Amino acid sequence: MKISEDPERTVRRARSTRIPRLLIALAVTTVAAAGCGDVQTGAVGPDRSASASAAPAAGASPAASSCVGRVLAGMSRSQRVGQLFMGAVSAGPGTTVGTERAQVAELKRHDVGSVILMGPVRSGLSGVRRVVGDIGQLDLSVAHAAVGTLVATDQEGGQVQQLSGAGFTDIPSAQVQGAWTASRLRQQAAVWAEELHEAGVRLDLAPVADVVPVSIGRANGPIGRYDRQFGSGPETVGGQDSAFVRGFGQAHVLTTLKHFPGLGRVRDNTDTTVGVTDTTLTRDALDLNSFRTGIAAGARFVMVSLATYTRIDPAHRAVFSATVIDGMLREDLGFDGVVVSDDLGNAAAVQAVPPGRRALAFLRAGGDLVVTVDTDDVSAMTSAVLDAMRSDPTLRTRVDASVRRVLAAKQAAGLMACAA
């Protein structure tokens, strides 16, 4: 998108008016036309995708369900697969506009429907708006509908806050937030969400729902070391998760509970370490209640971890486990939203697995949205899925069910609208 005299106003107006304008154009067009080891390579378990998994999200209005169905029916196979990927766009210090636009162009070549902003981005609201304006090139028009691009970031607080500068609050760590009352956290979360919404970001990859026991504390590499936990018990964590989710909901910004089924009891970080394993967590562990509570509060996304849980599924990492995704998350917790992977691009935990097989294994285990912070992996990943779909009807059914969930989430975020 070309930015004119006032960059901030132009991008803000473009993001808020893109869908209505595109719908008008579509209506005019319509009138004119009328005149490895742990990687599963096959289908997993009982396939629920043709029935319950393919159904609209609970509580969806008939109109919303109809819009999702119409858009899905009008999509090409490449566009459907593209909706199941979240690629990275770098916007931090030292990133040139040329690099950023090259990343957007690469994502566009593969019809990618979601983007994670990588930083840290210290240029404030105006800088983020400009980047989001460029990302708007990925928006689609399908079946007389406008389908926007879902832009996400990691905005937890403390040491994990990707967006900062003028217009963004300096958010304290989750450990500090955990000491607040639920009402105060909800109020503050609504403010942080308004800032993201104003910047064009509609999904926060937060809050952390992991429970870090006092006995482990900072020895927990991925969470405790960085004060990312709300507390040391599932009741406290679940209560604060819920407040965070509800606060963000007030500003119509979606949230993500992470890292299911929990990284609070491991020592090493899956981003930097191979073979991270939890030997204590069970399928009925109390720690899971923090996720259960967050889901009940309205979280539409749950991120699955890259660790292995020996007392749940010793043969597969959680992100590749049907037991974890279809069994625990879908069946046990009743989650019908979008299951998103932890990073399947640069994370050390998955480097031994070829990129295409990472994406396929996650989708076949029941996942919906593949995250990769390595843009170069997108081609191999999307190609692998498209190739496999040609001979795998079960995968095709799963892909359609996942696209429905992603589109429903976009609609809830105000990123998709169908012409009347």
Side-chain angles (χ1 to χ4, degrees):
M1 177 177 297
K2 182 177 175 59
I3 308 299
S4 58
E5 302 83 40
D6 184 345
E8 295 187 21
R9 188 185 313 155
T10 302
V11 176
R12 181 168 62 251
R13 185 170 62 247
R15 291 298 292 178
S16 64
T17 61
R18 181 182 296 121
I19 286 177
R21 286 179 179 174
L22 184 51
L23 285 175
I24 292 171
L26 286 168
V28 172
T29 302
T30 302
V31 171
C36 302
D38 70 344
V39 179
Q40 296 165 339
T41 56
V44 289
D47 191 359
R48 300 164 58 245
S49 56
S51 53
S53 295
S61 69
S65 301
S66 173
C67 182
V68 167
R70 285 161 53 192
V71 171
L72 175 64
M75 282 183 161
S76 68
R77 186 166 290 181
S78 176
Q79 288 172 331
R80 294 184 189 198
V81 170
Q83 289 299 305
L84 306 186
F85 284 84
M86 177 180 285
V89 171
S90 301
T95 302
T96 66
V97 172
T99 298
E100 167 206 308
R101 289 178 178 167
Q103 291 173 328
V104 173
E106 177 65 11
L107 299 180
K108 186 176 179 63
R109 275 192 288 274
H110 301 287
D111 294 312
V112 171
S114 297
V115 168
I116 176 172
L117 288 180
M118 300 299 296
V121 184
R122 302 189 180 97
S123 54
L125 274 171
S126 61
V128 176
R129 286 188 192 123
R130 180 192 62 75
V131 177
V132 171
D134 287 341
I135 290 171
Q137 299 173 48
L138 305 179
D139 294 356
L140 297 175
S141 58
V142 179
H144 311 303
V147 182
T149 306
L150 181 62
V151 180
T153 195
D154 282 301
Q155 199 82 336
E156 299 173 16
Q159 297 183 62
V160 184
Q161 179 173 346
Q162 291 292 319
L163 311 184
S164 60
F168 291 111
T169 302
D170 288 332
I171 305 173
S173 71
Q175 194 166 68
V176 171
Q177 297 172 38
W180 295 349
T181 64
S183 60
R184 179 184 177 188
L185 178 54
R186 180 172 178 169
Q187 290 170 357
Q188 291 298 312
V191 172
W192 306 331
E194 287 282 0
E195 294 167 355
L196 291 183
H197 195 280
E198 179 71 6
V201 177
R202 295 294 186 269
L203 173 64
D204 192 5
L205 298 176
V208 167
D210 305 307
V211 177
V212 181
V214 173
S215 59
I216 299 178
R218 286 184 174 273
N220 173 254
I223 310 300
R225 179 181 177 184
Y226 302 103
D227 298 329
R228 299 172 69 192
Q229 74 275 29
F230 284 125
S232 57
E235 184 175 345
T236 298
V237 174
Q240 300 302 78
D241 274 344
S242 298
F244 191 102
V245 168
R246 291 191 173 105
F248 268 67
Q250 290 175 213
H252 306 289
V253 176
L254 308 180
T255 46
T256 309
L257 301 173
K258 59 186 186 184
H259 310 77
F260 190 82
L263 284 175
R265 296 177 179 271
V266 302
R267 300 282 173 166
D268 296 315
N269 192 333
T270 56
D271 288 341
T272 56
T273 307
V274 176
V276 176
T277 302
D278 182 311
T279 61
T280 63
L281 198 70
T282 60
R283 185 163 175 168
D284 59 354
L286 291 178
D287 285 2
L288 299 173
N289 285 338
S290 59
F291 288 94
R292 191 187 308 273
T293 306
I295 289 169
R300 279 186 169 264
F301 289 70
V302 173
M303 179 180 288
V304 182
S305 92
L306 306 183
T308 300
Y309 299 81
T310 59
R311 300 184 67 182
I312 296 172
D313 184 352
H316 307 99
R317 295 174 181 84
V319 76
F320 301 144
S321 171
T323 299
V324 170
I325 299 176
D326 268 348
M328 295 174 65
L329 190 49
R330 296 291 190 205
E331 296 176 9
D332 297 355
L333 271 61
F335 181 64
D336 62 359
V338 178
V339 177
V340 57
S341 74
D342 203 343
D343 175 36
L344 292 180
N346 287 342
V350 295
Q351 288 308 300
V353 183
R357 292 182 64 191
R358 295 172 208 165
L360 275 171
F362 173 65
L363 296 175
R364 282 175 164 151
D368 300 311
L369 186 59
V370 176
V371 176
T372 174
V373 301
D374 188 345
T375 307
D376 291 340
D377 283 341
V378 170
S379 179
M381 288 179 166
T382 54
S383 294
V385 176
L386 285 166
D387 288 346
M389 287 174 66
R390 293 189 179 97
S391 59
D392 188 343
T394 299
L395 179 61
R396 291 197 295 270
T397 302
R398 281 192 173 275
V399 165
D400 283 356
S402 293
V403 175
R404 283 183 178 275
R405 296 188 190 102
V406 172
L407 293 179
K410 287 188 172 188
Q411 191 168 40
L415 293 174
M416 190 175 83
C418 287

